[in-house]
Amino acid sequence: MKDTMIKLWHGEGITESEHCRERVRELVKQLCQYERELHRQLDEKGRELLEALQDAHGEIASLEKEEAFSHGMTMGLRLMAEALEE
């Protein structure tokens, strides 16, 4: 248990991998291309609908990140509580 806490303290095993960062960059680039193409093809009403869709997706992503952070903090606190019990 102490080894895990020490690794976490030093930031080991909690950062995203280079593979993930690279994949996110690729997906963002693709997403931008799709967005530009849709903006080109859609009329004003369609662009407004696309923007509303993007806003909703952004809000969902924000809530999911908040939930993941909360879950991670809870797990971390449980680890600390168990370590202190030893």
Side-chain angles (χ1 to χ4, degrees), residues 38-54:
L38 280 171
H39 271 276
R40 190 181 67 74
Q41 292 183 23
L42 295 172
D43 62 8
E44 185 61 32
K45 187 173 181 177
R47 284 191 286 274
E48 288 173 4
L49 186 59
L50 175 62
E51 187 174 323
L53 176 70
Q54 290 170 320

Side-chain angles (χ1 to χ4, degrees), residues 5-72:
M5 288 190 297
I6 291 170
K7 285 181 180 179
L8 287 171
W9 175 259
H10 291 286
E12 297 172 20
I14 59 171
T15 59
E16 61 184 23
S17 68
E18 181 60 34
H19 169 75
C20 288
R21 284 190 295 268
E22 182 58 35
R23 182 67 181 138
V24 167
R25 281 192 287 271
E26 291 170 7
L27 290 170
V28 167
K29 185 177 178 181
Q30 252 184 339
L31 200 62
C32 288
Q33 290 172 346
Y34 296 150
E35 184 179 318
R36 280 192 299 272
E37 184 60 27
L38 280 171
H39 271 276
R40 190 181 67 74
Q41 292 183 23
L42 295 172
D43 62 8
E44 185 61 32
K45 187 173 181 177
R47 284 191 286 274
E48 288 173 4
L49 186 59
L50 175 62
E51 187 174 323
L53 176 70
Q54 290 170 320
D55 289 346
H57 276 241
E59 189 171 347
I60 288 169
S62 180
L63 291 170
E64 287 175 336
K65 288 179 184 180
E66 181 181 322
E67 182 64 28
F69 175 80
S70 177
H71 178 73

